[in-house]
Amino acid sequence: MIKKETPDSNSRRKFIKSTALATAGISIVPRHVLGGPGFLAPSDKLIVAGIGVGGKGESDIHNFAKTGKAEIGFLCDVDNRRAANSIARFPKAKFYKDYREMLDKEAKNFDAVSISTPDHNHAVQTMAAMNLGKHVFVQKPLTHDIYEARMLTEGAKRNKVVTQMGNQGASGDGVRKLQEWYKADLIGKVHSVYVWTDRPVWPQGIPWPEEGNAAVPKELDWDLWLGTAPYKEYISGLVPFNWRGWWDYGTGALGDMGCHLIEPAYSVLDLKYPKDVQCSVGSVYVDEFQRGYFPESCPPSSHVTMTFPESEKTEGELKLHWMDGGIQPTRPEELGPNETFGDGGNGVLFIGTKGKMMCSTYGRNPRLIPTSRMEEVNVPETIARVPGGEDGHYGQWIEAAIAGYGNKKVSSPFEIAGPLTETLLIANLAIRGVDIRNEQKNDNGDISYTYPGRNIQMIWDARKMRVTNLEEANRYVKRDYREGWTL
């Protein structure tokens, strides 16, 4: 409820507004300064600070501003080159290189934070913002580690902030159409889901470059970019994109596309956590019968199978298959020989007791198989659409943050995005487990190696966040941060 204005409160408002204008150089006052969470500011705008404002971060904050209900008040990026376009587009926004300095000095001057940085720094930046009571929009994947995803999910609830992960397909019409088809019993209960992608489209399955000490670009603060990760000398080609293929910073093809492609199965089948996981990965041979060993790099391709417990929406336990590196499942027999499977490079296939359905990336272009069924079926819309669909993902979060915690729904709050991200990272446990190596000395004095994570099924205890049958794999559930960085 909006409090009635009094002369004293009006004077106080003018004083706060003039102070904020002087320090922040922006034209409106944060909503929380004026009247606490949920207070309707005169401009009805949310002041947003961006952490990571180049590339995807640049488009994110631009989309927030386009809603007409957000003001970009502050920008933060470790690389002036990447930030240049956003600085030019939002000249009134104050710029910082270190997000910690921005949060410390300016927290009273903004309401919400958009985070679009490499995966390894998502969690510390997001938690710091939430602990200040700021609403957060975080690019996918939510976190680098399973433990981090669980902590952010709990932190969002504890701090009562509005959260959204940047998997915009969660707001698309396609996912809702798939849900309606399932509820209309068009494919029966589902027992298998296949998900595939043509990623990675960056180098993987390679050794760490040995190029000496490359010069750090003067515009880049390399130490801040590393953040939580172990210190290494700068190498060319890692920034701004190819970090995705290195475990210290990225989460591979699963981190890049898994949230977009597995989300439809989560929404349709109300999935939570898998109970076990197994995988096979593409191998790189460096000589005859000599398999390369590059544990710092994600593999060039993988096929992961996860088992989810039986539910009222599944026929027995559900098997979810993830395939990357261009590997695809066998085409359904019901699909015509010239019909595109998924969208070509990526797709999702649901197999139920009564039929099949598929979609493209972000849940786009949902189709029943055979596609001739599309002419016979007319299922009414029973699930409310997000205005603007995928593009409305941004405005949905802005409006929910303006309304205040618990007053408006969003498509990918951390209570959903957290378990979804954990699932991707559980799959990565199996992938990383392939390179777990133990050294042993043979009787003749030679050194050989065993690989206990290969050719096994990992049993996952979701409550304890632990693999129960391969202790070595649990090292990847929670990283040790570099000194000076904490969650």
mmCIF file of all heavy atoms in Angstrom, residues 180-200:
data_model
loop_
_atom_site.group_PDB
_atom_site.id
_atom_site.type_symbol
_atom_site.label_atom_id
_atom_site.label_comp_id
_atom_site.label_asym_id
_atom_site.label_seq_id
_atom_site.Cartn_x
_atom_site.Cartn_y
_atom_site.Cartn_z
ATOM 1 N N GLU A 180 0.647 -28.008 -22.594
ATOM 2 C CA GLU A 180 -0.783 -28.211 -22.881
ATOM 3 C C GLU A 180 -1.011 -29.513 -23.635
ATOM 4 O O GLU A 180 -1.981 -30.234 -23.361
ATOM 5 C CB GLU A 180 -1.312 -27.015 -23.663
ATOM 6 C CG GLU A 180 -1.434 -25.761 -22.796
ATOM 7 C CD GLU A 180 -1.529 -24.479 -23.602
ATOM 8 O OE1 GLU A 180 -1.301 -24.506 -24.830
ATOM 9 O OE2 GLU A 180 -1.817 -23.424 -22.993
ATOM 10 N N TRP A 181 -0.142 -29.851 -24.557
ATOM 11 C CA TRP A 181 -0.271 -31.124 -25.272
ATOM 12 C C TRP A 181 -0.115 -32.299 -24.323
ATOM 13 O O TRP A 181 -0.853 -33.278 -24.412
ATOM 14 C CB TRP A 181 0.786 -31.218 -26.382
ATOM 15 C CG TRP A 181 0.489 -30.367 -27.567
ATOM 16 C CD1 TRP A 181 -0.690 -29.738 -27.878
ATOM 17 C CD2 TRP A 181 1.398 -30.040 -28.623
ATOM 18 N NE1 TRP A 181 -0.574 -29.048 -29.053
ATOM 19 C CE2 TRP A 181 0.690 -29.217 -29.542
ATOM 20 C CE3 TRP A 181 2.726 -30.367 -28.875
ATOM 21 C CZ2 TRP A 181 1.309 -28.724 -30.690
ATOM 22 C CZ3 TRP A 181 3.329 -29.872 -30.025
ATOM 23 C CH2 TRP A 181 2.625 -29.060 -30.924
ATOM 24 N N TYR A 182 0.860 -32.163 -23.422
ATOM 25 C CA TYR A 182 1.056 -33.252 -22.466
ATOM 26 C C TYR A 182 -0.185 -33.408 -21.571
ATOM 27 O O TYR A 182 -0.672 -34.523 -21.351
ATOM 28 C CB TYR A 182 2.298 -33.018 -21.603
ATOM 29 C CG TYR A 182 2.466 -34.115 -20.579
ATOM 30 C CD1 TYR A 182 3.107 -35.309 -20.911
ATOM 31 C CD2 TYR A 182 1.921 -33.997 -19.307
ATOM 32 C CE1 TYR A 182 3.218 -36.332 -20.002
ATOM 33 C CE2 TYR A 182 2.023 -35.020 -18.390
ATOM 34 C CZ TYR A 182 2.670 -36.179 -18.745
ATOM 35 O OH TYR A 182 2.755 -37.203 -17.836
ATOM 36 N N LYS A 183 -0.704 -32.299 -21.067
ATOM 37 C CA LYS A 183 -1.867 -32.354 -20.173
ATOM 38 C C LYS A 183 -3.101 -32.880 -20.896
ATOM 39 O O LYS A 183 -3.992 -33.469 -20.271
ATOM 40 C CB LYS A 183 -2.143 -30.968 -19.591
ATOM 41 C CG LYS A 183 -1.095 -30.523 -18.582
ATOM 42 C CD LYS A 183 -1.415 -29.141 -18.021
ATOM 43 C CE LYS A 183 -0.374 -28.718 -16.995
ATOM 44 N NZ LYS A 183 -0.637 -27.367 -16.435
ATOM 45 N N ALA A 184 -3.147 -32.693 -22.220
ATOM 46 C CA ALA A 184 -4.262 -33.221 -23.026
ATOM 47 C C ALA A 184 -4.071 -34.701 -23.359
ATOM 48 O O ALA A 184 -4.883 -35.274 -24.091
ATOM 49 C CB ALA A 184 -4.403 -32.408 -24.306
ATOM 50 N N ASP A 185 -3.004 -35.298 -22.838
ATOM 51 C CA ASP A 185 -2.734 -36.734 -22.988
ATOM 52 C C ASP A 185 -2.475 -37.134 -24.450
ATOM 53 O O ASP A 185 -2.805 -38.233 -24.869
ATOM 54 C CB ASP A 185 -3.895 -37.566 -22.424
ATOM 55 C CG ASP A 185 -3.476 -39.001 -22.092
ATOM 56 O OD1 ASP A 185 -2.299 -39.206 -21.730
ATOM 57 O OD2 ASP A 185 -4.321 -39.911 -22.216
ATOM 58 N N LEU A 186 -1.844 -36.231 -25.196
ATOM 59 C CA LEU A 186 -1.585 -36.539 -26.598
ATOM 60 C C LEU A 186 -0.431 -37.510 -26.790
ATOM 61 O O LEU A 186 -0.367 -38.197 -27.815
ATOM 62 C CB LEU A 186 -1.295 -35.251 -27.379
ATOM 63 C CG LEU A 186 -2.414 -34.213 -27.430
ATOM 64 C CD1 LEU A 186 -2.038 -33.087 -28.373
ATOM 65 C CD2 LEU A 186 -3.734 -34.853 -27.869
ATOM 66 N N ILE A 187 0.491 -37.564 -25.824
ATOM 67 C CA ILE A 187 1.609 -38.500 -25.979
ATOM 68 C C ILE A 187 1.686 -39.501 -24.826
ATOM 69 O O ILE A 187 2.613 -40.314 -24.773
ATOM 70 C CB ILE A 187 2.955 -37.762 -26.127
ATOM 71 C CG1 ILE A 187 3.330 -37.028 -24.838
ATOM 72 C CG2 ILE A 187 2.936 -36.814 -27.312
ATOM 73 C CD1 ILE A 187 4.779 -36.541 -24.831
ATOM 74 N N GLY A 188 0.724 -39.471 -23.905
ATOM 75 C CA GLY A 188 0.739 -40.402 -22.783
ATOM 76 C C GLY A 188 1.801 -40.027 -21.768
ATOM 77 O O GLY A 188 2.272 -38.889 -21.713
ATOM 78 N N LYS A 189 2.195 -41.007 -20.975
ATOM 79 C CA LYS A 189 3.248 -40.770 -19.982
ATOM 80 C C LYS A 189 4.611 -40.948 -20.638
ATOM 81 O O LYS A 189 4.819 -41.860 -21.433
ATOM 82 C CB LYS A 189 3.084 -41.727 -18.800
ATOM 83 C CG LYS A 189 1.862 -41.433 -17.939
ATOM 84 C CD LYS A 189 1.872 -42.249 -16.665
ATOM 85 C CE LYS A 189 0.728 -41.850 -15.739
ATOM 86 N NZ LYS A 189 0.762 -42.586 -14.451
ATOM 87 N N VAL A 190 5.542 -40.079 -20.278
ATOM 88 C CA VAL A 190 6.850 -40.050 -20.930
ATOM 89 C C VAL A 190 7.832 -40.971 -20.206
ATOM 90 O O VAL A 190 7.896 -40.991 -18.984
ATOM 91 C CB VAL A 190 7.395 -38.611 -20.967
ATOM 92 C CG1 VAL A 190 8.820 -38.570 -21.532
ATOM 93 C CG2 VAL A 190 6.468 -37.719 -21.782
ATOM 94 N N HIS A 191 8.604 -41.728 -20.990
ATOM 95 C CA HIS A 191 9.636 -42.579 -20.391
ATOM 96 C C HIS A 191 11.050 -42.194 -20.833
ATOM 97 O O HIS A 191 12.030 -42.549 -20.178
ATOM 98 C CB HIS A 191 9.385 -44.053 -20.721
ATOM 99 C CG HIS A 191 9.262 -44.358 -22.187
ATOM 100 N ND1 HIS A 191 10.345 -44.467 -23.022
ATOM 101 C CD2 HIS A 191 8.157 -44.558 -22.964
ATOM 102 C CE1 HIS A 191 9.937 -44.744 -24.253
ATOM 103 N NE2 HIS A 191 8.602 -44.801 -24.250
ATOM 104 N N SER A 192 11.171 -41.430 -21.954
ATOM 105 C CA SER A 192 12.493 -41.049 -22.454
ATOM 106 C C SER A 192 12.446 -39.646 -23.047
ATOM 107 O O SER A 192 11.478 -39.277 -23.709
ATOM 108 C CB SER A 192 12.973 -42.021 -23.539
ATOM 109 O OG SER A 192 13.045 -43.344 -23.057
ATOM 110 N N VAL A 193 13.502 -38.896 -22.792
ATOM 111 C CA VAL A 193 13.685 -37.580 -23.403
ATOM 112 C C VAL A 193 15.097 -37.519 -23.966
ATOM 113 O O VAL A 193 16.058 -37.882 -23.279
ATOM 114 C CB VAL A 193 13.482 -36.440 -22.391
ATOM 115 C CG1 VAL A 193 13.753 -35.083 -23.050
ATOM 116 C CG2 VAL A 193 12.072 -36.459 -21.802
ATOM 117 N N TYR A 194 15.230 -37.085 -25.212
ATOM 118 C CA TYR A 194 16.535 -36.907 -25.846
ATOM 119 C C TYR A 194 16.747 -35.421 -26.113
ATOM 120 O O TYR A 194 15.879 -34.741 -26.659
ATOM 121 C CB TYR A 194 16.609 -37.681 -27.162
ATOM 122 C CG TYR A 194 16.680 -39.177 -26.976
ATOM 123 C CD1 TYR A 194 15.519 -39.938 -26.825
ATOM 124 C CD2 TYR A 194 17.909 -39.836 -26.936
ATOM 125 C CE1 TYR A 194 15.578 -41.311 -26.640
ATOM 126 C CE2 TYR A 194 17.979 -41.219 -26.758
ATOM 127 C CZ TYR A 194 16.812 -41.946 -26.615
ATOM 128 O OH TYR A 194 16.866 -43.305 -26.424
ATOM 129 N N VAL A 195 17.922 -34.933 -25.734
ATOM 130 C CA VAL A 195 18.278 -33.530 -25.900
ATOM 131 C C VAL A 195 19.647 -33.480 -26.569
ATOM 132 O O VAL A 195 20.564 -34.186 -26.154
ATOM 133 C CB VAL A 195 18.333 -32.808 -24.541
ATOM 134 C CG1 VAL A 195 18.584 -31.320 -24.736
ATOM 135 C CG2 VAL A 195 17.058 -33.039 -23.728
ATOM 136 N N TRP A 196 19.794 -32.643 -27.598
ATOM 137 C CA TRP A 196 21.075 -32.623 -28.300
ATOM 138 C C TRP A 196 21.432 -31.218 -28.769
ATOM 139 O O TRP A 196 20.561 -30.365 -28.919
ATOM 140 C CB TRP A 196 21.075 -33.589 -29.481
ATOM 141 C CG TRP A 196 20.111 -33.261 -30.587
ATOM 142 C CD1 TRP A 196 20.384 -32.587 -31.747
ATOM 143 C CD2 TRP A 196 18.707 -33.588 -30.648
ATOM 144 N NE1 TRP A 196 19.251 -32.479 -32.522
ATOM 145 C CE2 TRP A 196 18.205 -33.093 -31.877
ATOM 146 C CE3 TRP A 196 17.830 -34.277 -29.790
ATOM 147 C CZ2 TRP A 196 16.876 -33.235 -32.259
ATOM 148 C CZ3 TRP A 196 16.499 -34.419 -30.158
ATOM 149 C CH2 TRP A 196 16.038 -33.911 -31.378
ATOM 150 N N THR A 197 22.736 -31.000 -28.967
ATOM 151 C CA THR A 197 23.226 -29.703 -29.418
ATOM 152 C C THR A 197 24.459 -29.875 -30.297
ATOM 153 O O THR A 197 25.197 -30.860 -30.171
ATOM 154 C CB THR A 197 23.588 -28.800 -28.219
ATOM 155 O OG1 THR A 197 24.018 -27.519 -28.701
ATOM 156 C CG2 THR A 197 24.696 -29.405 -27.374
ATOM 157 N N ASP A 198 24.688 -28.885 -31.161
ATOM 158 C CA ASP A 198 25.903 -28.882 -31.970
ATOM 159 C C ASP A 198 27.058 -28.196 -31.253
ATOM 160 O O ASP A 198 28.172 -28.138 -31.771
ATOM 161 C CB ASP A 198 25.646 -28.203 -33.321
ATOM 162 C CG ASP A 198 25.093 -26.790 -33.169
ATOM 163 O OD1 ASP A 198 25.011 -26.276 -32.034
ATOM 164 O OD2 ASP A 198 24.727 -26.197 -34.205
ATOM 165 N N ARG A 199 26.813 -27.657 -30.053
ATOM 166 C CA ARG A 199 27.916 -27.117 -29.254
ATOM 167 C C ARG A 199 28.809 -28.264 -28.787
ATOM 168 O O ARG A 199 28.333 -29.367 -28.656
ATOM 169 C CB ARG A 199 27.363 -26.380 -28.037
ATOM 170 C CG ARG A 199 27.153 -24.891 -28.154
ATOM 171 C CD ARG A 199 26.486 -24.415 -29.349
ATOM 172 N NE ARG A 199 26.020 -23.021 -29.190
ATOM 173 C CZ ARG A 199 25.082 -22.490 -29.912
ATOM 174 N NH1 ARG A 199 24.479 -23.201 -30.840
ATOM 175 N NH2 ARG A 199 24.732 -21.233 -29.756
ATOM 176 N N PRO A 200 30.110 -27.990 -28.587
ATOM 177 C CA PRO A 200 30.760 -26.687 -28.521
ATOM 178 C C PRO A 200 31.099 -26.123 -29.899
ATOM 179 O O PRO A 200 31.401 -26.866 -30.821
ATOM 180 C CB PRO A 200 32.045 -26.982 -27.744
ATOM 181 C CG PRO A 200 32.364 -28.400 -28.086
ATOM 182 C CD PRO A 200 31.031 -29.086 -28.214
#
